[in-house]
Amino acid sequence: MKKKLISSLVISTIILSVVSPSYEGVADTSADIANQEVTIANAQSEKDKAQSQVDSIQIKIDNLIKQQKNTKKKIEDIKNEARALNQKIENLSRSIADRTNSLEAQARSAQVNNSSNSSFDTVINSKSLTEAIQRITAIATVSSANKQMIDEQIKEQKALNKTSDTVKQNYNQYENLKKNLDAQANDLSTQQANLRVATLNYQATIEAAQDKKAKLIKQRIAAEEIAKKEAEKARKVAEVQAVAEETYKQQTRFVKENVSSTSSFNDSTSTGSKESSSTSTGSKESSSTSTDSKESSSTSTDSKESSDNNSIIPPKTGTPGYNPYAGGGCTDYVWQFFAAKGIYIANIVNGNGGFWGTNGVTQGVLRRTALAPGVIASGFTDQFTGYGTSTTSGSSPYGHVAVVTAVHPDGTFDVQEAGYGGAFPWGNVRKNLSPQNVIFTLPN
């Protein structure tokens, strides 16, 4: 039993060592998730900054577009003004040229006709002084008018040329402004495009981190589920250990009480034997009694030997109402199956299911029998693996025990059973199991 308890403690240690990495895995996964959340938060912050700059640049671009529109309109207005001004200058230049040509023609006409003194002759040939004065005045007026008109036209031409220069300066100024605005717009557009690329990169980082976070969350959920299952296994093993310890204590107390009771009985028998021997010495007529006394003494010796044997051999028959086997296990099910028939199987040491066919027989609790309905099947085959948690016999040191319910013509048999861990529920039925390497027994 101590070996059984030590084995249970070793199993518990193994299970706890299996559970621990699961929780460590959960902790590591949680740390990775936290790192991804930091990455997402940082990328989101940088993305927001970049987006804010994009929005700010967009405002500048919108303002530049307005300025570009105004500048283009102003340039167009200047062009229209320059065209009108050029037309005026052209018309005035043509008028000056025409008037100048007319005066030059008059002068050439006078020279050709030898009439350079025609004006003088006109005055001399006047019929009267008054007519001469009138002719002189008329000639002077015409000459003065022509000269004044030419002077005014030249003056107007200079003013138009000056205005034209101003218009040209304005045009050049607005053209330069337009080029400046275009350059700024291009620069801002480039900055905005770069920031948009940065925003997309940050978004890609966020999405990648979110995907990784989602995968890590799934991994954590899976790890937590495994940890819960391992913890549940550990809890159930702990329950088995507790039941085993309690069984050991009760069985030890039962054996001690049984040994104490036997010893008391032997003491009383020995005292009676001495009294019988004394009576035989005092009265020779009691020889037969003396013989009985020797037999009684012999009985006392046998009782002591029996007492010594009982101190190490478990009782062959169990106690009604006392189940020494772990609750929910295969041994518990078989004990209760026979207890319902009034048969109480005593504790077997080591009493795991696979050992009932060997330890149960050697300790006198069970006896071997042939395969038949109602007998006990015990073994370590692939179909008797212990606790119903595996299909490979080598993976379990406990074996299995069940009650045979039917035997088939091909030699296979059916069982009713229970198994720790939920794989074999209480009263589970399996059919057509092989009898190879299975031991069949019945309670003594």
Side-chain angles (χ1 to χ4, degrees):
M1 179 59 73
K2 290 183 178 178
K3 290 182 179 178
K4 180 180 179 182
L5 292 177
I6 292 172
S7 299
S8 298
L9 292 174
V10 171
I11 293 167
S12 175
T13 304
I14 293 172
I15 290 177
L16 290 176
S17 67
V18 172
V19 174
S20 297
S22 298
Y23 284 109
E24 290 175 0
V26 172
D28 292 341
T29 305
S30 297
D32 291 339
I33 291 173
N35 290 336
Q36 295 307 312
E37 289 176 346
V38 170
T39 300
I40 292 171
N42 292 338
Q44 185 63 52
S45 176
E46 294 301 323
K47 177 189 172 184
D48 292 341
K49 290 179 183 178
Q51 186 60 49
S52 177
Q53 293 177 2
V54 168
D55 296 339
S56 176
I57 289 174
Q58 187 59 50
I59 293 173
K60 292 180 181 179
I61 290 175
D62 293 340
N63 290 333
L64 281 175
I65 290 173
K66 290 180 181 179
Q67 293 180 39
Q68 285 176 318
K69 288 181 179 178
N70 293 335
T71 302
K72 287 179 180 178
K73 184 177 184 304
K74 189 66 177 177
I75 289 173
E76 194 60 35
D77 292 342
I78 290 173
K79 286 181 178 179
N80 293 333
E81 183 181 359
R83 282 193 287 268
L85 186 60
N86 289 336
Q87 186 65 41
K88 287 182 180 180
I89 292 174
E90 184 178 353
N91 293 337
L92 184 58
S93 297
R94 189 180 297 112
S95 176
I96 292 173
D98 291 343
R99 191 171 296 279
T100 300
N101 290 334
S102 177
L103 291 175
E104 289 177 353
Q106 290 178 2
R108 283 194 300 272
S109 176
Q111 291 176 0
V112 171
N113 297 324
N114 294 321
S115 57
S116 56
N117 296 322
S118 59
S119 298
F120 180 74
D121 292 337
T122 300
V123 174
I124 293 299
N125 293 325
S126 298
K127 294 179 180 181
S128 63
L129 180 60
T130 301
E131 184 179 358
I133 292 172
Q134 288 177 347
R135 288 182 178 182
I136 290 171
T137 302
I139 292 170
T141 300
V142 170
S143 296
S144 176
N146 287 334
K147 185 177 182 306
Q148 184 178 359
M149 183 170 291
I150 290 174
D151 291 341
E152 288 179 356
Q153 287 178 338
I154 292 172
K155 184 177 180 181
E156 184 178 357
Q157 186 180 42
K158 289 180 178 180
L160 290 174
N161 288 334
K162 187 176 181 180
T163 302
S164 177
D165 291 340
T166 301
V167 170
K168 289 178 181 179
Q169 289 178 359
N170 290 338
Y171 177 80
N172 292 332
Q173 180 181 353
Y174 278 100
E175 276 292 335
N176 291 333
L177 177 60
K178 179 180 177 298
K179 292 177 181 179
N180 223 0
L181 292 175
D182 291 343
Q184 291 183 42
N186 290 334
D187 182 58
L188 289 174
S189 296
T190 301
Q191 292 182 38
Q192 190 180 52
N194 292 334
L195 287 170
R196 283 175 177 165
V197 170
T199 301
L200 293 175
N201 289 336
Y202 287 128
Q203 182 62 34
T205 301
I206 291 170
E207 291 176 359
Q210 287 175 338
D211 290 342
K212 188 171 182 180
K213 176 184 173 183
K215 292 178 181 178
L216 287 170
I217 289 174
K218 289 181 180 179
Q219 292 177 9
R220 182 174 67 181
I221 292 172
E224 288 174 346
E225 188 64 26
I226 292 172
K228 286 179 181 178
K229 290 180 179 179
E230 294 297 335
E232 181 64 17
K233 288 181 182 178
R235 183 188 67 78
K236 290 182 178 180
V237 169
E239 289 179 356
V240 172
Q241 291 174 352
V243 172
E245 290 174 1
E246 183 62 26
T247 299
Y248 175 75
K249 291 177 182 178
Q250 293 180 3
Q251 183 62 24
T252 302
R253 184 169 59 252
F254 177 81
V255 171
K256 287 181 179 180
E257 289 174 354
N258 188 56
V259 170
S260 176
S261 175
T262 305
S263 297
S264 297
F265 175 77
N266 289 340
D267 290 342
S268 65
T269 304
S270 178
T271 301
S273 176
K274 289 180 181 180
E275 290 176 355
S276 176
S277 177
S278 176
T279 304
S280 176
T281 303
S283 175
K284 294 179 180 180
E285 296 174 357
S286 304
S287 61
S288 62
T289 305
S290 176
T291 301
D292 292 340
S293 174
K294 291 179 180 180
E295 291 176 353
S296 175
S297 177
S298 176
T299 302
S300 175
T301 302
D302 292 340
S303 297
K304 290 181 180 179
E305 292 176 356
S306 176
S307 174
D308 292 339
N309 290 335
N310 283 334
S311 65
I312 59 174
I313 299 176
K316 296 180 180 179
T317 303
T319 304
Y322 170 63
N323 180 358
Y325 300 103
C330 57
T331 53
D332 175 34
Y333 179 82
V334 175
W335 188 92
Q336 293 197 40
F337 178 86
F338 283 94
K341 301 177 182 296
I343 301 171
Y344 304 97
I345 301 173
N347 187 44
I348 299 171
V349 184
N350 170 350
N352 289 317
F355 294 98
W356 277 37
T358 54
N359 294 349
V361 173
T362 58
Q363 294 172 23
V365 178
L366 303 173
R367 58 183 171 83
R368 288 204 177 192
T369 185
L371 172 59
V375 304
I376 300 169
S378 171
F380 287 91
T381 70
D382 289 348
Q383 297 168 334
F384 285 84
T385 58
Y387 295 144
T389 57
S390 173
T391 57
T392 304
S393 60
S395 66
S396 171
Y398 306 110
H400 190 50
V401 67
V403 177
V404 177
T405 57
V407 180
H408 302 291
D410 62 357
T412 61
F413 62 97
D414 301 343
V415 296
Q416 195 164 8
E417 62 194 346
Y420 182 82
F424 296 160
W426 193 265
N428 181 64
V429 175
R430 284 192 295 162
K431 297 183 177 183
N432 301 109
L433 304 182
S434 172
Q436 186 175 3
N437 296 326
V438 178
I439 299 174
F440 302 100
T441 63
L442 280 173
N444 275 329

